[in-house]
Amino acid sequence: MSLTPNPTIIFVSATPGKVPVPGEDLVHRQDITIDIEKEPLNGGILTKTVALGIDVWLRARMAYEFKPNTPLLGYGIGVVLRSENPKFQVGDYVQGRSYPFAPYAVLSEDGGIRVLKNEAGLPWTAYLGVLGLAGETAWVGYKAYAQPKKGETIYVSTGAGGVGSVICQVAKAEGLRVIASAGSDSKVAFLKEIGVDVAFNYKNQDIGTVLKENGGVDIYWDNVGGKTLETVMGCMNKYGRIVICGFASQNNLSPAEWHANKSMPLVLMKNLTINGYIITDAIAKFGDFDFESEVTKLVKAGKIRAREETSDRLEDAMKMLADCLVGNNEGKGVIVLS
């Protein structure tokens, strides 16, 4: 028996209202090994990890899905080393939605794995960001709920994030006027680089003032909730649409501390439409609007750009996840292992 080191990020615990602490809630186990030649596959595949994505949604999975003392699972890409499933051949590159944070992984088909063709020749990490969960979330939600019309104004909170930046660029490509905010000057600079018409730092400028000075908002893509949602509702134009994709400002609060929105009467007074949005539910209802083929074209044409924050150290995933949950990241977090 020949054992190969397979250090793994292990999920230990999740506390509501608390950012996971590296070394406590998540640990880097370096004593784990794997027998690459003989590891049981049980009808699945064995992969060597290429890259792993750091996503905000991992927090929800930690709270409601993962079992203590099991591997952290997320979006990952690997190359097939062995296979007991005829759909996957040795040498195939695959993407998994429940990919263990480890150099080697045994994956089953029910874990959401699929072969990546990458005929466009893009970096594999694109399939963890703009062509992965973040891009798909942006594209499907925008197509399903925004009902955009050329010349309208859209406001995107956390506009420099993985989802927000795709929304900004898709809206711009379709002829909308784009306003977006971020929490650092470097992120605001990135927003300007990707063509946002009005980019501002919400820590330095009042959101309501900026939106009113720019004629109000027809579409609001909400990634933060809380007081920001309340403020933006007061700046919505009549018949405006709000897509609620996240509640980043409330993530580190207990339910008792969640912000009470005092702008709800404006939904009636302005004939606003509000849609809560979960990507899996939307795809089940509407399909994916040809996400991969359409967004690949936009990426190849230079109409959608992405910014990544990469590391080749598996253990860095723990801090990168904590950072992205409080907005301290400067791009899509990716661990590149091979």
Side-chain angles (χ1 to χ4, degrees):
M1 179 181 292
S2 177
L3 296 179
T4 299
N6 197 34
T8 303
I9 302 299
I10 299 294
F11 165 70
V12 178
S13 62
T15 303
K18 176 187 174 186
V19 175
V21 177
E24 296 181 14
D25 301 306
L26 296 170
V27 297
H28 181 220
R29 285 272 305 277
Q30 300 184 63
D31 59 321
I32 298 174
T33 59
I34 187 171
D35 188 332
I36 294 175
E37 299 298 328
K38 297 181 180 179
E39 184 74 21
L41 304 185
N42 300 313
I45 61 176
L46 173 71
T47 60
K48 181 178 181 179
T49 305
V50 174
L52 300 159
I54 307 299
D55 292 294
V56 172
W57 77 308
L58 287 175
R59 177 170 194 152
R61 297 188 74 182
M62 288 171 65
Y64 302 110
E65 179 182 347
F66 296 161
K67 295 180 180 179
N69 302 311
T70 60
L72 181 69
L73 305 176
Y75 261 68
I77 295 170
V79 60
V80 178
L81 301 181
R82 293 170 49 210
S83 176
E84 293 180 354
N85 186 322
K87 295 180 181 179
F88 305 95
Q89 305 301 314
V90 172
D92 283 346
Y93 282 79
V94 298
Q95 177 197 64
R97 292 174 180 250
S98 290
Y99 200 112
F101 274 61
Y104 298 93
V106 174
L107 306 175
S108 61
E109 193 171 356
D110 60 6
I113 55 175
R114 68 186 185 99
V115 174
L116 294 175
K117 297 298 185 182
N118 195 8
E119 295 173 350
L122 298 171
W124 289 112
T125 55
Y127 290 90
L128 296 175
V130 66
L131 288 171
L133 177 63
E136 187 175 43
T137 298
W139 180 260
V140 173
Y142 181 81
K143 293 295 183 180
Y145 299 117
Q147 301 174 29
K149 302 177 184 65
K150 188 175 181 178
E152 287 189 323
T153 296
I154 184 172
Y155 169 52
V156 185
S157 54
T158 65
V163 175
S165 62
V166 173
I167 290 292
C168 289
Q169 293 172 91
V170 170
K172 189 67 179 175
E174 294 193 354
L176 275 70
R177 186 164 185 263
V178 180
I179 304 174
S181 59
S184 72
D185 292 342
S186 62
K187 292 180 181 180
V188 170
F190 173 67
L191 290 173
K192 293 177 180 178
E193 289 174 12
I194 62 175
V196 169
D197 297 288
V198 179
F200 68 98
N201 187 334
Y202 69 87
K203 295 179 181 178
N204 300 332
Q205 293 180 265
D206 179 71
I207 294 173
T209 300
V210 172
L211 298 183
K212 289 176 181 177
E213 287 178 349
N214 284 277
V217 178
D218 300 297
I219 304 166
Y220 173 40
W221 184 276
D222 182 26
N223 287 315
V224 298
K227 179 64 176 177
T228 298
L229 174 59
E230 179 181 286
T231 298
V232 177
M233 288 174 69
C235 303
M236 295 295 296
N237 296 327
K238 197 169 185 180
Y239 304 113
R241 285 83 68 200
I242 298 172
V243 184
I244 298 179
C245 182
F247 278 91
S249 69
Q250 311 296 287
N251 282 343
N252 301 321
L253 303 176
S254 67
E257 297 174 296
W258 288 348
H259 182 79
N261 192 325
K262 299 178 181 179
S263 292
M264 288 305 294
L266 297 176
V267 177
L268 173 64
M269 298 164 63
K270 295 187 177 186
N271 288 279
L272 303 179
T273 299
I274 301 177
N275 281 288
Y277 168 49
I278 301 295
I279 175 67
T280 49
D281 294 338
I283 289 178
K285 183 175 182 179
F286 301 107
D288 70 356
F289 299 93
D290 297 319
F291 159 67
E292 188 167 333
S293 62
E294 292 300 316
V295 175
T296 297
K297 293 175 187 175
L298 292 172
V299 173
K300 287 289 286 184
K303 293 184 177 180
I304 293 183
R305 294 170 50 196
R307 185 168 62 162
E308 294 179 348
E309 192 172 58
T310 65
S311 172
D312 60 2
R313 291 161 42 92
L314 177 65
E315 58 267 36
D316 286 347
M318 300 181 291
K319 183 178 185 302
M320 291 170 75
L321 176 58
D323 284 346
C324 86
L325 291 174
V326 295
N328 287 339
N329 58 312
E330 288 293 334
K332 166 67 181 180
V334 181
I335 301 295
V336 180
L337 296 184
S338 65

Coordinates of all heavy atoms in Angstrom, one line a residue, residues 22-78:
P22 N -10.4 30.5 11.6 CA -9.4 29.5 11.1 C -8.7 28.9 12.4 O -8.3 29.6 13.3 CB -8.4 30.4 10.3 CG -9.1 31.5 9.8 CD -10.1 31.9 10.9
G23 N -8.6 27.6 12.3 CA -8.0 26.9 13.5 C -8.9 26.5 14.5 O -8.6 25.7 15.4
E24 N -10.2 27.0 14.5 CA -11.2 26.7 15.4 C -12.4 26.1 14.7 O -12.7 24.9 14.9 CB -11.6 27.9 16.3 CG -10.5 28.5 17.1 CD -11.0 29.7 17.9 OE1 -12.2 29.9 18.0 OE2 -10.1 30.4 18.5
D25 N -13.1 26.9 13.9 CA -14.3 26.4 13.2 C -13.9 25.6 11.9 O -14.6 24.8 11.4 CB -15.2 27.6 12.8 CG -15.6 28.4 14.0 OD1 -16.2 27.8 14.9 OD2 -15.4 29.6 14.0
L26 N -12.7 26.0 11.4 CA -12.1 25.3 10.3 C -10.7 24.9 10.6 O -10.0 25.8 11.2 CB -12.1 26.1 9.0 CG -13.5 26.5 8.4 CD1 -13.3 27.5 7.3 CD2 -14.2 25.3 7.9
V27 N -10.3 23.7 10.3 CA -8.9 23.3 10.7 C -8.2 22.7 9.4 O -8.9 22.1 8.6 CB -8.8 22.4 11.9 CG1 -9.3 23.0 13.1 CG2 -9.6 21.1 11.6
H28 N -6.9 22.8 9.4 CA -6.1 22.2 8.3 C -5.5 20.9 8.8 O -4.5 21.0 9.5 CB -5.1 23.2 7.8 CG -4.2 22.8 6.7 ND1 -2.9 23.0 6.6 CD2 -4.5 22.1 5.6 CE1 -2.4 22.5 5.5 NE2 -3.4 21.9 4.9
R29 N -6.1 19.8 8.4 CA -5.6 18.5 8.9 C -4.5 18.0 7.9 O -4.8 17.7 6.7 CB -6.7 17.5 8.9 CG -7.7 17.6 10.1 CD -7.2 16.8 11.3 NE -6.9 15.5 11.0 CZ -7.9 14.5 11.0 NH1 -9.1 14.8 11.3 NH2 -7.6 13.3 10.7
Q30 N -3.3 17.9 8.4 CA -2.2 17.5 7.6 C -1.8 16.0 7.7 O -0.9 15.5 7.0 CB -0.9 18.4 7.9 CG -1.2 19.9 7.7 CD 0.1 20.7 7.9 OE1 1.1 20.5 7.3 NE2 0.0 21.5 8.9
D31 N -2.5 15.3 8.6 CA -2.2 13.9 8.8 C -3.0 12.9 7.9 O -2.9 11.7 8.0 CB -2.5 13.5 10.3 CG -4.0 13.8 10.6 OD1 -4.5 14.8 10.2 OD2 -4.5 13.0 11.4
I32 N -3.9 13.5 7.0 CA -4.8 12.7 6.2 C -4.0 12.2 5.0 O -3.2 12.9 4.4 CB -6.0 13.4 5.8 CG1 -6.8 13.8 7.0 CG2 -6.9 12.6 4.8 CD1 -8.0 14.7 6.8
T33 N -4.2 10.9 4.6 CA -3.5 10.3 3.4 C -4.5 9.7 2.5 O -5.7 9.4 2.9 CB -2.5 9.3 3.9 OG1 -3.1 8.3 4.6 CG2 -1.4 10.0 4.7
I34 N -4.1 9.3 1.3 CA -5.0 8.6 0.4 C -4.1 7.6 -0.4 O -3.0 7.9 -0.7 CB -5.7 9.6 -0.5 CG1 -6.7 8.9 -1.4 CG2 -4.7 10.4 -1.4 CD1 -7.6 9.8 -2.2
D35 N -4.7 6.5 -0.7 CA -4.1 5.5 -1.6 C -4.6 5.7 -3.0 O -5.7 5.3 -3.4 CB -4.4 4.1 -1.2 CG -3.5 3.0 -1.9 OD1 -3.2 3.3 -3.1 OD2 -3.3 1.9 -1.4
I36 N -3.8 6.5 -3.8 CA -4.3 6.9 -5.2 C -4.7 5.7 -6.1 O -5.6 5.8 -6.8 CB -3.2 7.8 -5.8 CG1 -3.1 9.1 -5.0 CG2 -3.6 8.1 -7.3 CD1 -2.0 10.0 -5.6
E37 N -3.9 4.6 -5.9 CA -4.2 3.4 -6.8 C -5.3 2.6 -6.3 O -6.0 1.9 -7.2 CB -2.9 2.6 -6.9 CG -1.7 3.3 -7.5 CD -1.9 3.8 -8.9 OE1 -2.7 3.1 -9.6 OE2 -1.4 4.8 -9.3
K38 N -5.6 2.5 -5.0 CA -6.5 1.5 -4.5 C -7.7 2.1 -3.7 O -8.5 1.4 -3.2 CB -5.8 0.5 -3.6 CG -4.7 -0.3 -4.4 CD -4.1 -1.3 -3.4 CE -3.0 -2.1 -4.2 NZ -2.3 -3.1 -3.3
E39 N -7.7 3.5 -3.6 CA -8.8 4.1 -2.9 C -10.2 3.7 -3.5 O -10.4 3.8 -4.7 CB -8.7 5.6 -2.9 CG -9.8 6.3 -2.1 CD -9.5 6.3 -0.6 OE1 -8.4 6.0 -0.2 OE2 -10.5 6.5 0.2
P40 N -11.1 3.1 -2.7 CA -12.4 2.7 -3.2 C -13.2 3.9 -3.8 O -13.2 5.0 -3.2 CB -13.2 2.2 -2.0 CG -12.1 1.8 -1.0 CD -11.0 2.8 -1.2
L41 N -13.7 3.7 -5.0 CA -14.4 4.7 -5.7 C -15.9 4.5 -5.7 O -16.7 5.5 -5.8 CB -14.0 4.8 -7.2 CG -12.5 5.0 -7.5 CD1 -12.2 5.2 -9.0 CD2 -11.9 6.2 -6.7
N42 N -16.4 3.3 -5.4 CA -17.8 3.0 -5.3 C -18.6 3.6 -6.5 O -19.7 4.3 -6.3 CB -18.4 3.6 -4.0 CG -17.7 3.0 -2.8 OD1 -17.5 1.7 -2.7 ND2 -17.2 3.8 -1.8
G43 N -18.1 3.4 -7.7 CA -18.8 3.9 -8.9 C -18.6 5.4 -9.2 O -19.2 5.9 -10.2
G44 N -17.7 6.0 -8.5 CA -17.4 7.4 -8.7 C -16.0 7.6 -9.4 O -15.6 6.7 -10.2
I45 N -15.4 8.7 -9.2 CA -14.1 9.0 -9.8 C -13.1 9.6 -8.8 O -13.5 10.1 -7.7 CB -14.3 10.1 -10.9 CG1 -14.8 11.4 -10.3 CG2 -15.2 9.6 -12.0 CD1 -15.0 12.6 -11.3
L46 N -11.8 9.4 -9.1 CA -10.8 10.0 -8.3 C -10.2 11.1 -9.1 O -9.8 10.9 -10.2 CB -9.7 9.0 -7.9 CG -8.5 9.5 -7.2 CD1 -8.8 9.9 -5.8 CD2 -7.4 8.5 -7.2
T47 N -10.0 12.3 -8.5 CA -9.5 13.5 -9.2 C -8.3 14.0 -8.4 O -8.2 13.9 -7.2 CB -10.6 14.6 -9.3 OG1 -11.0 15.0 -8.0 CG2 -11.8 14.1 -10.1
K48 N -7.4 14.7 -9.2 CA -6.4 15.5 -8.7 C -6.9 16.9 -8.8 O -7.3 17.4 -9.9 CB -5.1 15.3 -9.4 CG -3.9 16.2 -8.9 CD -2.6 16.0 -9.6 CE -1.5 16.8 -9.0 NZ -0.2 16.6 -9.7
T49 N -6.9 17.7 -7.7 CA -7.5 19.0 -7.6 C -6.6 20.0 -8.4 O -5.4 20.1 -8.3 CB -7.6 19.5 -6.2 OG1 -8.4 18.5 -5.4 CG2 -8.3 20.8 -6.1
V50 N -7.3 20.8 -9.2 CA -6.7 21.9 -10.0 C -6.9 23.2 -9.2 O -6.0 23.9 -9.0 CB -7.3 22.0 -11.4 CG1 -6.8 23.2 -12.1 CG2 -7.0 20.7 -12.2
A51 N -8.1 23.5 -8.8 CA -8.4 24.7 -8.1 C -9.7 24.6 -7.3 O -10.6 23.8 -7.7 CB -8.6 25.9 -9.2
L52 N -9.8 25.4 -6.3 CA -11.0 25.5 -5.4 C -11.5 26.9 -5.2 O -10.6 27.8 -5.1 CB -10.6 24.9 -4.0 CG -10.1 23.4 -4.0 CD1 -9.4 23.1 -2.8 CD2 -11.3 22.5 -4.2
G53 N -12.8 27.1 -5.2 CA -13.3 28.4 -5.1 C -13.8 28.8 -3.7 O -14.3 28.0 -3.0
I54 N -13.5 30.1 -3.3 CA -14.0 30.6 -2.1 C -15.3 31.4 -2.3 O -15.3 32.4 -3.0 CB -12.9 31.5 -1.4 CG1 -11.5 30.8 -1.4 CG2 -13.4 32.0 -0.1 CD1 -11.5 29.6 -0.5
D55 N -16.4 30.9 -1.7 CA -17.7 31.5 -2.0 C -18.4 31.8 -0.7 O -18.3 31.1 0.3 CB -18.5 30.6 -2.8 CG -18.0 30.4 -4.2 OD1 -18.0 31.3 -5.0 OD2 -17.6 29.3 -4.6
V56 N -19.1 32.9 -0.7 CA -19.9 33.4 0.4 C -20.9 32.3 0.8 O -21.2 32.1 2.0 CB -20.6 34.7 0.1 CG1 -21.6 35.0 1.3 CG2 -19.6 35.8 0.0
W57 N -21.4 31.5 -0.2 CA -22.5 30.5 0.1 C -22.0 29.4 1.0 O -22.8 28.7 1.6 CB -23.0 30.0 -1.2 CG -22.2 29.0 -1.9 CD1 -20.8 29.1 -2.2 CD2 -22.5 27.7 -2.3 NE1 -20.4 28.0 -2.8 CE2 -21.4 27.1 -2.9 CE3 -23.7 27.0 -2.3 CZ2 -21.4 25.8 -3.5 CZ3 -23.7 25.7 -2.9 CH2 -22.6 25.1 -3.4
L58 N -20.6 29.3 1.2 CA -20.1 28.2 2.1 C -20.6 28.5 3.5 O -20.8 27.5 4.3 CB -18.6 28.2 2.0 CG -17.9 27.7 0.8 CD1 -16.4 27.8 0.8 CD2 -18.3 26.2 0.6
R59 N -20.8 29.7 3.8 CA -21.3 30.0 5.2 C -22.6 29.4 5.5 O -22.8 28.8 6.5 CB -21.3 31.5 5.4 CG -21.9 31.8 6.8 CD -21.7 33.2 7.1 NE -21.9 33.4 8.6 CZ -21.4 34.4 9.2 NH1 -20.6 35.2 8.6 NH2 -21.6 34.6 10.5
A60 N -23.5 29.5 4.5 CA -24.9 28.9 4.7 C -24.8 27.4 4.8 O -25.5 26.7 5.6 CB -25.8 29.3 3.6
R61 N -23.9 26.8 4.0 CA -23.7 25.4 4.0 C -23.1 24.9 5.3 O -23.5 23.8 5.8 CB -22.9 24.9 2.8 CG -23.4 25.2 1.4 CD -22.6 24.6 0.3 NE -22.8 23.1 0.3 CZ -22.2 22.3 -0.6 NH1 -21.3 22.8 -1.4 NH2 -22.4 21.0 -0.6
M62 N -22.2 25.7 5.9 CA -21.7 25.3 7.2 C -22.7 25.3 8.2 O -22.7 24.5 9.2 CB -20.6 26.3 7.5 CG -19.3 26.2 6.7 SD -18.1 27.5 6.9 CE -17.7 27.3 8.7
A63 N -23.7 26.3 8.1 CA -24.7 26.4 9.2 C -25.8 25.3 9.0 O -26.3 24.9 10.1 CB -25.3 27.8 9.1
Y64 N -26.1 24.9 7.8 CA -27.3 24.0 7.6 C -27.0 22.7 7.0 O -27.9 21.8 7.0 CB -28.3 24.8 6.8 CG -28.7 26.1 7.4 CD1 -28.4 27.3 6.8 CD2 -29.5 26.2 8.5 CE1 -28.7 28.5 7.3 CE2 -29.9 27.4 9.1 CZ -29.5 28.6 8.5 OH -29.9 29.8 9.0
E65 N -25.9 22.5 6.4 CA -25.7 21.3 5.7 C -24.5 20.4 6.2 O -24.6 19.2 6.3 CB -25.4 21.6 4.2 CG -25.1 20.4 3.3 CD -24.9 20.8 1.8 OE1 -25.1 22.0 1.5 OE2 -24.4 20.0 1.1
F66 N -23.3 21.0 6.4 CA -22.2 20.2 6.7 C -22.3 19.6 8.1 O -22.8 20.2 9.0 CB -20.9 21.1 6.7 CG -20.6 21.7 5.3 CD1 -19.8 22.8 5.2 CD2 -21.1 21.1 4.2 CE1 -19.5 23.3 3.9 CE2 -20.8 21.6 2.9 CZ -20.0 22.7 2.8
K67 N -21.7 18.4 8.2 CA -21.6 17.7 9.5 C -20.3 18.0 10.2 O -19.2 18.1 9.4 CB -21.8 16.2 9.3 CG -23.2 15.9 8.8 CD -23.3 14.4 8.7 CE -24.7 14.0 8.2 NZ -24.9 12.5 8.0
P68 N -20.2 18.2 11.5 CA -18.9 18.5 12.1 C -17.9 17.4 11.8 O -18.2 16.2 11.7 CB -19.3 18.5 13.6 CG -20.8 18.9 13.6 CD -21.3 18.2 12.4
N69 N -16.6 17.9 11.7 CA -15.5 17.0 11.5 C -15.6 16.2 10.2 O -15.1 15.1 10.1 CB -15.4 16.0 12.7 CG -15.2 16.7 14.0 OD1 -14.4 17.7 14.1 ND2 -16.0 16.4 15.0
T70 N -16.1 16.9 9.2 CA -16.1 16.4 7.8 C -15.4 17.4 6.9 O -15.3 18.6 7.3 CB -17.5 16.1 7.3 OG1 -18.2 17.3 7.3 CG2 -18.2 15.1 8.2
P71 N -14.9 17.0 5.7 CA -14.2 18.0 4.8 C -15.1 19.1 4.4 O -16.4 19.0 4.2 CB -13.9 17.1 3.6 CG -13.8 15.7 4.1 CD -14.9 15.6 5.2
L72 N -14.5 20.3 4.3 CA -15.2 21.5 3.8 C -15.4 21.2 2.3 O -14.5 20.7 1.6 CB -14.3 22.7 4.0 CG -14.9 24.0 3.4 CD1 -16.1 24.5 4.3 CD2 -13.8 25.1 3.4
L73 N -16.7 21.5 1.8 CA -17.0 21.2 0.4 C -17.4 22.5 -0.3 O -18.1 23.3 0.3 CB -18.2 20.2 0.4 CG -18.1 18.9 1.1 CD1 -19.4 18.1 1.0 CD2 -16.9 18.1 0.5
G74 N -17.0 22.7 -1.5 CA -17.4 23.8 -2.3 C -17.2 23.6 -3.7 O -17.1 22.4 -4.2
Y75 N -17.2 24.6 -4.5 CA -16.9 24.5 -6.0 C -15.5 24.2 -6.2 O -14.6 24.9 -5.6 CB -17.3 25.8 -6.7 CG -18.7 25.7 -7.3 CD1 -19.8 25.7 -6.6 CD2 -18.8 25.7 -8.7 CE1 -21.1 25.7 -7.1 CE2 -20.1 25.7 -9.3 CZ -21.2 25.7 -8.5 OH -22.4 25.6 -9.1
G76 N -15.2 23.2 -7.0 CA -13.8 22.8 -7.3 C -13.7 22.2 -8.7 O -14.7 21.8 -9.3
I77 N -12.5 22.3 -9.2 CA -12.1 21.7 -10.5 C -11.0 20.7 -10.3 O -10.0 21.0 -9.6 CB -11.7 22.8 -11.5 CG1 -12.9 23.7 -11.8 CG2 -11.2 22.2 -12.8 CD1 -12.6 25.0 -12.5
G78 N -11.1 19.5 -11.0 CA -10.1 18.5 -10.9 C -9.9 17.8 -12.2 O -10.8 17.9 -13.1

